[in-house]
Amino acid sequence: QVRLVESGGGLVQSGGSLRLSCAASVRTFSTHAMGWFRQAPGKEREFVAAIDWSGSSKYYSDSVKGRFTISRNRTGTTVNLEMNSLKPEDTGVYYCNTGTRSSRISDYQAGGVGRYWGQGTQVTVSS
């Protein structure tokens, strides 16, 4: 059974930084693209960032571009999201996602999502 486990959320002041991590339980996901989504209270889940299987291609939403950086470790089974210059509107539950059809970021760029989700980690940015 595939498990995605997020960690690293917390409370931070506006302008601060946090680093989220997502660990996959199955090594085969080192050949899959992975993404991060978030959901603010009362809003729909939205795409944040994605990375391809090799770590060489990355894709960001306009709202986080230039502030967030997605990366994956050498074995490919852990994906990190470095979040800088955080704003109160970045508050929400952040979810890791994988299991798209492609090992590239194209599915995420087309608005798709993978089959597998983590349980989420709360990020709260105070003003």
Side-chain angles (χ1 to χ4, degrees):
Q1 185 178 353
V2 176
R3 288 184 67 231
L4 299 175
V5 180
E6 300 102 333
S7 61
L11 173 64
V12 65
Q13 288 188 335
S14 181
S17 299
L18 282 174
R19 186 171 186 260
L20 305 183
S21 292
C22 172
S25 62
V26 180
R27 189 177 178 86
T28 54
F29 281 94
S30 64
T31 60
H32 284 62
M34 296 185 78
W36 284 96
F37 290 74
R38 66 187 181 188
Q39 187 168 19
K43 295 187 177 180
E44 293 187 353
R45 191 174 298 185
E46 64 173 356
F47 170 80
V48 175
I51 190 167
D52 75 342
W53 70 276
S54 70
S56 61
S57 294
K58 303 173 185 181
Y59 175 57
Y60 299 94
S61 68
D62 288 343
S63 62
V64 306
K65 197 175 298 181
R67 300 187 297 122
F68 290 13
T69 302
I70 190 171
S71 63
R72 65 195 305 165
N73 68 345
R74 193 169 59 86
T75 63
T77 54
T78 297
V79 174
N80 302 306
L81 186 67
E82 192 77 34
M83 305 186 296
N84 298 314
S85 302
L86 283 162
K87 306 174 182 179
E89 51 263 45
D90 293 318
T91 294
V93 179
Y94 283 68
Y95 297 91
C96 181
N97 175 263
T98 192
T100 55
R101 293 170 298 176
S102 172
S103 60
R104 301 174 183 173
I105 57 175
S106 53
D107 283 350
Y108 289 112
Q109 290 175 313
V113 298
R115 292 173 291 168
Y116 304 105
W117 294 92
Q119 82 287 352
T121 185
Q122 176 70 45
V123 171
T124 303
V125 184
S126 63
S127 57

